[in-house]
Amino acid sequence: DTAVSQTPKYLVTQMGNDKSIKCEQNLGHDTMYWYKQDSKKFLKIMFSYNNKELIINETVPNRFSPKSPDKAHLNLHINSLELGDSAVYFCASSPVLRSSGGYTFGSGTRLTVV
Amino acid sequence: AQSVTQLGSHVSVSEGALVLLRCNYSSSVPPYLFWYVQYPNQGLQLLLKYTSAATLVKGINGFEAEFKKSETSFHLTKPSAHMSDAAEYFCAVSDETGGGNKLTFGTGTQLKVEL
């Protein structure tokens, strides 16, 4: 059983389209995150949710809208996709809001905008 | 805000040689520090973590790291490199500034292991 699963694994789409990435964790964790890894492999946090409540929104364009229907799911919807949105998006979860335990990451969604 | 700096974006070692990947942190409070490994086309896997208990931390796959407050360092080592260690390694610090908790990552070090 995969602990943090993301779908789809690969996503190729045209500029201007709207797309969603889904994430689910079966670890019973309270906090979930979206990270973006750019072409130079730099990882930067985008959002975090704790028990369905938005905690961190890290200066991300408002074309990106996260949604957490319950604490096991955190989806990412992107409107009007741009070339610069091409990246690998990672979902992660941690046991509590302030955690020394580290995060568990999904395997990533590689988004390519053409 | 807390931050980490990884010195050397690429490190190359021979199989069987010592692996040393450098990480220095900047933190106004005692930090939680982590090393993650990313194999090609995969997610990030936790190697080890420092959470203010023992300063020498042992992780998976024979890796260990030592927290040195005087040097603000948390370097990752492995006595003998194996071909399967070739991957991208990220140092990270738990950052609670601005509310919430997030991992702030270094820029990564690509480890190459040669025969």
Side-chain angles (χ1 to χ4, degrees), chain B residues 85-101:
Chain B
D85 295 326
E88 188 87 22
Y89 291 80
F90 294 94
C91 182
V93 62
S94 181
D95 185 354
E96 297 186 10
T97 55
N101 177 63

Side-chain angles (χ1 to χ4, degrees), chain B residues 19-95:
Chain B
V19 175
L20 171 61
L21 305 182
R22 299 177 188 275
C23 174
N24 288 89
Y25 69 89
S26 172
S27 175
S28 57
V29 297
Y32 294 150
L33 292 161
F34 308 85
W35 275 100
Y36 281 84
V37 61
Q38 184 179 26
Y39 298 102
N41 297 316
Q42 294 188 28
L44 289 94
Q45 181 182 7
L46 180 65
L47 273 178
L48 49 80
K49 60 185 179 184
Y50 168 75
T51 57
S52 72
T55 56
L56 182 62
V57 181
K58 293 188 185 299
I60 61 171
N61 302 339
F63 284 93
E64 62 182 38
E66 186 172 9
F67 174 75
K68 290 188 177 180
K69 186 177 178 181
S70 61
E71 298 177 8
T72 61
S73 69
F74 189 58
H75 301 332
L76 182 71
T77 60
K78 182 174 180 178
S80 177
H82 192 270
M83 296 296 287
S84 60
D85 295 326
E88 188 87 22
Y89 291 80
F90 294 94
C91 182
V93 62
S94 181
D95 185 354

Side-chain angles (χ1 to χ4, degrees), chain A residues 42-57:
Chain A
F42 184 63
L43 283 149
K44 187 168 166 51
I45 191 167
M46 301 173 70
F47 302 102
S48 80
Y49 270 75
N50 184 63
N51 212 357
K52 303 194 297 177
E53 179 187 353
L54 179 65
I55 302 298
I56 294 175
N57 181 342

